[in-house]
Amino acid sequence: MKKLAKKIVLFFIGLKNEMKKVKWPNKKEMIKYSCAALTFIIVFAVFFSLTDLLIAGVKTLVEEYL
């Protein structure tokens, strides 16, 4: 049981040391990254919506002629 507790303590010590090495973005960078992510989400949503409408339209045309 002591080995498990020691491993857990060592894990959290290592975690704390690794978190100190992380370069956290400042407010300006965070806004920039958030805007980029939202832009990509919107672009892909529009792309897949248009693709879905196109495929549905083609399917409807094919079903009408069959």
Side-chain angles (χ1 to χ4, degrees):
M1 194 65 168
K2 288 185 179 184
K3 287 184 180 182
L4 178 63
K6 186 176 179 180
K7 285 183 179 182
I8 292 172
V9 169
L10 288 175
F11 170 78
F12 282 106
I13 289 172
L15 179 67
K16 183 179 177 183
N17 289 334
E18 287 299 318
M19 292 303 286
K20 287 179 182 177
K21 297 177 185 178
V22 174
K23 182 196 175 289
W24 298 99
N26 59 32
K27 184 177 179 180
K28 186 177 179 181
E29 291 172 332
M30 198 65 209
I31 291 171
K32 180 179 166 183
Y33 300 150
S34 297
C35 288
L38 288 173
T39 301
F40 279 109
I41 290 169
I42 291 168
V43 167
F44 281 111
V46 169
F47 171 75
F48 286 117
S49 296
L50 292 175
T51 303
D52 184 49
L53 286 172
L54 179 68
I55 292 171
V58 170
K59 180 184 173 199
T60 303
L61 288 173
V62 169
E63 286 177 347
E64 285 179 5
Y65 288 109
L66 291 180

